[in-house]
């Protein structure tokens, strides 16, 4: 048995693991209740989502590497790149959001309200 003969099974196992991790990220985000108070309320859900997505991204990179030498044709190799490309797209979106938040100029503050004066009463004529 050569080294490459076991590669399709490894690839199938990695794809199943990637699908499980990718689905778990959305399921855990949807099914976990928010915890914490104030600004950090719900951060546990976001961190669980990102943790599962990082795991799925690492598995996606392994899928790309494992399927690189298989005789699948051009379309087959591109299909094996999709998990890693989804992870790259998520990382790019997060980076773009952080950069936009850092570089975006907020709207100017509204002017200070005028001091309160005595109400005008009708004069007696």
């Amino acid at each position: 048995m050569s080294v490459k003969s076991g590669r399709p099974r490894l690839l199938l196992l990695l794809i199943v693991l990637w699908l499980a991790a990718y689905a778990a990220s959305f399921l855990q985000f949807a099914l976990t209740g928010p915890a914490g108070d104030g600004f950090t309320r719900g951060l546990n859900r976001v961190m669980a989502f990102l943790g599962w997505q990082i795991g799925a991204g690492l598995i996606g990179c392994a899928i790309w590497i494992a399927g690189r030498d298989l005789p699948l044709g051009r379309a087959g190799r591109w299909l094996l790149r999709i998990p890693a490309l989804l992870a790259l797209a998520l990382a790019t979106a997060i980076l773009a959001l952080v950069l936009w938040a850092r570089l975006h100029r907020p709207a100017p503050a509204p002017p200070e309200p005028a001091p309160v004066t005595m109400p005008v009463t009708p004069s007696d004529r």
Side-chain angles (χ1 to χ4, degrees):
M1 184 166 141
S2 70
V3 175
K4 289 194 177 186
S5 66
R7 189 156 305 171
R9 284 188 179 159
L10 172 67
L11 198 56
L12 183 61
L13 175 68
L14 286 173
I15 290 171
V16 168
L17 286 175
W18 176 79
L19 282 171
Y22 199 75
S25 69
F26 291 103
L27 287 173
Q28 185 163 6
F29 184 79
L31 299 177
T32 302
D37 294 327
F39 180 72
T40 61
R41 181 166 175 79
L43 193 59
N44 62 323
R45 295 167 44 170
V46 174
M47 295 308 293
F49 172 79
L50 289 176
W52 281 107
Q53 284 291 316
I54 289 170
L58 292 174
I59 296 169
C61 291
I63 290 171
W64 188 332
I65 292 169
R68 199 169 43 180
D69 298 331
L70 292 178
L72 298 173
R74 185 174 178 174
R77 278 197 287 287
W78 270 104
L79 284 174
L80 292 178
R81 292 176 185 164
I82 288 175
L85 292 175
L86 284 173
L88 182 63
L90 178 66
T92 304
I94 291 171
L95 180 65
L97 180 65
V98 169
L99 285 175
W100 178 80
R102 285 291 287 165
L103 300 176
H104 184 265
R105 303 241 184 249
E112 291 287 327
V116 177
T117 59
M118 295 295 294
V120 176
T121 59
S123 61
D124 291 35
R125 291 190 197 197

